[in-house]
């Protein structure tokens, strides 16, 4: 089981948000976003921020760092190490199962991620036969985009998706993210897309839009 940082917004949480960080960061990276995101009338939520394992990253000269998968090339259609992606998806599935064991229903679990974490979020979401409340993919892309349709599990496309990206992102070009969004839409996902004048980061407007999207999930649940 991955080590995690956790925050609960109230007693006896009814919802869980599992949030995956980006390359080289750790579970503490997005913990400060909780007070900016959470609204007073929301149900109690457990935020789970796991630490990715440390692994050698090829494009960074083999330097070990926290990463959800190795980055083996600059081509976004093949840059993600498939075995690393599969390993991380399995680790995320274990976290989802732990939330279920702690009393949170699957349809009250949101899986979120930034950059590499968002790529794992989308990969895990594609393969889920039991649907989550939703998927949040920030400043990211769909790994193995050409094989996505083959990886799609029956019913997985009923999970709503929130995607947002910076128009000046120097790490993952916005066109790559837009292509991933179009592929997901073509597979039948209900996808909300946002584009902001920013780099590889998050912004206040994005957090507010994500809050609106989460509000809709809570209202439906």
């Amino acid at each position: 089981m991955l080590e995690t940082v956790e925050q609960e917004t109230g007693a006896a949480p009814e919802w869980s948000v599992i949030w995956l960080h980006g390359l080289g960061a750790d579970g503490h990276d997005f913990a400060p976003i909780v007070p900016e995101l959470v609204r007073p009338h929301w149900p109690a939520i457990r935020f789970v921020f796991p630490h990715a394992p440390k692994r050698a990253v090829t494009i960074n000269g083999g330097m070990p760092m926290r990463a959800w998968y190795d980055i083996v090339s600059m081509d976004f259609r093949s840059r993600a190490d498939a075995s690393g992606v599969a390993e991380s998806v399995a680790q995320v599935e274990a976290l989802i199962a732990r939330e279920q064991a702690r009393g949170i229903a699957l349809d009250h679990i949101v899986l979120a991620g930034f950059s590499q974490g968002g790529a794992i979020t989308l990969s895990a979401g594609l393969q889920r036969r039991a649907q989550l409340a939703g998927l949040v993919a920030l400043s990211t892309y769909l790994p193995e985009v050409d094989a996505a349709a083959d990886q799609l599990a029956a019913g997985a496309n009923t999970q709503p998706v929130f995607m947002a990206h910076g128009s000046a992102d120097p790490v993952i070009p916005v066109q790559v993210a837009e292509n991933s969004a179009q592929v997901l839409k073509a597979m039948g996902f209900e996808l909300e897309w946002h584009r902001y004048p920013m780099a590889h980061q998050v912004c206040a407007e994005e957090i507010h839009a994500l809050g609106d999207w989460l509000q809709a999930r809570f209202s439906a649940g």
Side-chain angles (χ1 to χ4, degrees):
M1 186 71 65
L2 295 171
E3 293 183 5
T4 60
V5 176
E6 295 189 4
Q7 292 188 38
E8 295 183 358
T9 65
E14 304 168 39
W15 289 76
S16 293
V17 176
I18 302 171
W19 198 309
L20 312 180
H21 62 76
L23 176 67
D26 64 20
H28 295 284
D29 195 36
F30 276 93
I33 208 171
V34 172
E36 299 179 46
L37 177 64
V38 172
R39 299 178 183 178
H41 60 283
W42 282 2
I45 307 165
R46 178 185 297 118
F47 284 86
V48 180
F49 301 98
H51 302 305
K54 289 186 177 178
R55 68 181 80 223
V57 177
T58 299
I59 66 161
N60 286 346
M63 182 183 299
M65 61 183 64
R66 292 198 182 278
W68 296 107
Y69 51 85
D70 187 15
I71 300 175
V72 296
S73 78
M74 298 305 293
D75 183 349
F76 281 91
R77 293 184 179 275
S78 59
R79 69 183 282 154
D81 166 46
S83 62
V85 170
E87 177 187 345
S88 289
V89 167
Q91 289 172 318
V92 168
E93 287 295 333
L95 291 175
I96 292 170
R98 186 175 70 172
E99 290 310 294
Q100 288 183 274
R102 293 201 277 189
I104 309 296
L106 274 178
D107 61 1
H108 279 202
I109 298 174
V110 174
L111 184 59
F114 174 82
S115 196
Q116 264 206 348
I120 296 302
T121 292
L122 293 177
S123 292
L126 272 185
Q127 299 170 49
R128 284 208 63 85
R129 296 185 183 276
Q131 291 76 43
L132 301 176
L135 310 170
V136 177
L138 309 178
S139 299
T140 193
Y141 66 103
L142 183 61
E144 300 180 282
V145 66
D146 294 331
D150 295 330
Q151 297 173 1
L152 182 65
N157 58 2
T158 62
Q159 299 168 111
V161 181
F162 179 96
M163 285 189 74
H165 211 91
S167 57
D169 192 327
V171 178
I172 301 171
V174 67
Q175 294 82 3
V176 172
E178 287 175 334
N179 179 59
S180 293
Q182 292 303 319
V183 168
L184 289 166
K185 286 180 179 179
M187 289 190 291
F189 283 90
E190 175 193 332
L191 188 144
E192 183 174 320
W193 168 261
H194 294 268
R195 176 172 174 163
Y196 299 98
M198 63 180 184
H200 195 63
Q201 62 192 100
V202 296
C203 65
E205 295 87 353
E206 178 181 16
I207 294 170
H208 182 79
L210 176 56
D212 289 344
W213 183 86
L214 286 170
Q215 172 67 53
R217 311 283 79 73
F218 301 147
S219 297

